[in-house]
Amino acid sequence: MEKVDWENAINIRRSTRSFQIRSLEMETMDRLQSFVNDMRTPFKHDVTIRIFKANPNKKLYTAFTAPPDGAAFLSKTDACSISATGFVGEMFVLYATSLGIATCWYGHYTLAELEQIMPHLGVYAQLSTNPKWGYGKGMVQGKRAICITPLGYWRREGVRVFDRMQESLISFKRKPVKELFEGNIDVDKLPPEIFYGFDLARKAPSAANSQHWRFTVSPDLKKISIAMPVGYKHVKWEHPDVDIGICACHFWLGLTSKGVSCDVSLTEEKGRAVWYFKLE
Ligand SMILES: Cc1cc2nc3c(=O)[nH]c(=O)nc-3n(C[C@H](O)[C@H](O)[C@H](O)COP(=O)(O)O)c2cc1C
């Protein structure tokens, strides 16, 4: 896998909702595809990343005109697969960011339009229960596109009001590390490399910037978990386990870039995905 400055990618990534209507260069496309083929993660998963061509209209994203390129993150729809999608998708998003490509995690894409430009539903294409936005709710059969992202170049002129608002009000408005723990943790006593992991973790993107990840640390500082609170629900976002996987990805990148080895596991507990990091 190519060497990437992950910290820099995390710090410069923003959700972009205004794009130039031009395709990615062939070389960039090849690098993205190679990254997908060679990506290594510290856990097993069955997430697929598919790069697609979109029509230059507002059907897919509604809020903005689609640039010609995009990527879809597909998996089964149990809590762990959905969370693994967040982890794997974020590796891809951050790699794309490192190549200067603008992205936006997108859950509420128009399903019929995605199926038209990137057929993926197979026998489930004609279901009367297929929703308008995203793949739907809860567990369904087969693999679905959990989220998608545009891949393109930011269009500075004519930036939409929403984009400007995002930049000034939402992007990088994140809770401090100390507000994200369950249990009593003296943040000042955390080893610097673990604090660094948490600091990258808190910068993860989440739907509507809800930042619903919570951390636990065992007394010997060897076992760390990342999950949403039991029973957490978001009024508009049906798959908050995706965001937890994104956060876990940032944490893992932080630990590994500081040379901390750990065993990563993902389990479903009390109806939500829980990521465990066992430090060696
Ligand atoms: C899993 C996920 C789904 C998202 N879905 C949408 C979406 O459907 N529409 C949208 O405009 N933004 C969507 N976003 C973007 C968030 O609004 C954005 O990440 C958040 O406000 C933080 O801003 P930032 O990404 O610029 O740091 C999504 C983000 C995540 C992580």
Side-chain angles (χ1 to χ4, degrees):
M1 213 159 73
E2 235 179 275
K3 206 167 159 27
V4 176
D5 183 345
W6 297 108
E7 178 185 345
N8 187 53
I10 286 171
N11 284 329
I12 63 174
R13 186 212 55 79
R14 296 284 184 282
S15 291
T16 300
R17 297 182 181 82
S18 180
F19 289 89
Q20 301 171 29
I21 303 305
R22 75 176 160 106
S23 299
L24 299 183
E25 281 85 26
M26 272 239 288
E27 194 212 322
T28 307
M29 205 50 127
D30 289 347
R31 288 176 75 182
L32 283 174
Q33 194 55 61
S34 303
F35 183 80
V36 170
N37 298 343
D38 302 342
M39 189 194 299
R40 281 196 302 269
T41 53
F43 59 96
K44 278 203 178 135
H45 65 83
D46 74 343
V47 181
T48 317
I49 299 180
R50 280 180 65 180
I51 295 176
F52 60 76
K53 285 277 174 208
N55 297 316
N57 58 38
K58 288 192 175 166
K59 281 191 189 155
L60 187 59
Y61 303 105
T62 327
F64 57 87
T65 302
D69 300 297
F73 310 128
L74 299 100
S75 76
K76 292 191 196 138
T77 50
D78 58 284
C80 287
S81 299
I82 287 205
S83 211
T85 305
F87 193 116
V88 171
E90 183 67 355
M91 293 283 289
F92 177 82
V93 161
L94 292 174
Y95 178 68
T97 305
S98 78
L99 299 183
I101 299 168
T103 60
C104 182
W105 272 94
Y106 218 85
H108 286 169
Y109 62 85
T110 306
L111 181 62
E113 178 67 7
L114 185 67
E115 175 64 6
Q116 205 250 313
I117 58 177
M118 188 198 81
H120 63 288
L121 289 171
V123 292
Y124 310 112
Q126 302 308 330
L127 289 185
S128 59
T129 46
N130 276 343
K132 191 157 190 227
W133 315 115
Y135 89 78
K137 277 187 188 169
M139 250 178 93
V140 295
Q141 281 184 312
K143 274 175 105 165
R144 302 299 165 103
I146 310 299
C147 282
I148 64 173
T149 178
L151 297 169
Y153 302 103
W154 182 41
R155 186 169 68 101
R156 199 168 216 303
E157 313 82 61
V159 170
R160 297 171 60 91
V161 175
F162 185 55
D163 240 12
R164 285 204 299 270
M165 260 171 55
Q166 273 287 99
E167 203 165 311
S168 57
L169 296 177
I170 302 178
S171 283
F172 261 60
K173 291 276 180 272
R174 299 290 196 268
K175 291 175 182 154
V177 169
K178 64 176 178 346
E179 285 182 21
L180 298 171
F181 290 97
E182 283 180 346
N184 276 338
I185 297 293
D186 187 347
V187 173
D188 298 331
K189 294 213 171 104
L190 286 174
E193 59 281 5
I194 297 183
F195 182 85
Y196 177 80
F198 285 132
D199 193 45
L200 293 193
R202 82 182 176 90
K203 293 177 180 173
S206 52
N209 202 29
S210 48
Q211 306 168 64
H212 46 277
W213 35 74
R214 294 297 175 267
F215 311 142
T216 67
V217 183
S218 65
D220 65 358
L221 307 176
K222 290 285 183 203
K223 194 174 179 190
I224 286 153
S225 76
I226 300 182
M228 58 190 182
V230 175
Y232 175 86
K233 292 232 176 331
H234 189 274
V235 274
K236 285 208 193 122
W237 177 227
E238 301 83 359
H239 313 297
D241 277 316
V242 177
D243 319 60
I244 300 301
I246 297 175
C247 179
C249 170
H250 283 210
F251 183 67
W252 179 71
L253 289 172
L255 286 189
T256 46
S257 64
K258 290 289 173 194
V260 179
S261 307
C262 61
D263 179 60
V264 180
S265 59
L266 170 60
T267 57
E268 184 171 340
E269 288 172 22
K270 300 182 181 160
R272 88 264 199 246
V274 183
W275 292 84
Y276 286 108
F277 299 82
K278 268 196 211 147
L279 276 49
E280 285 158 15

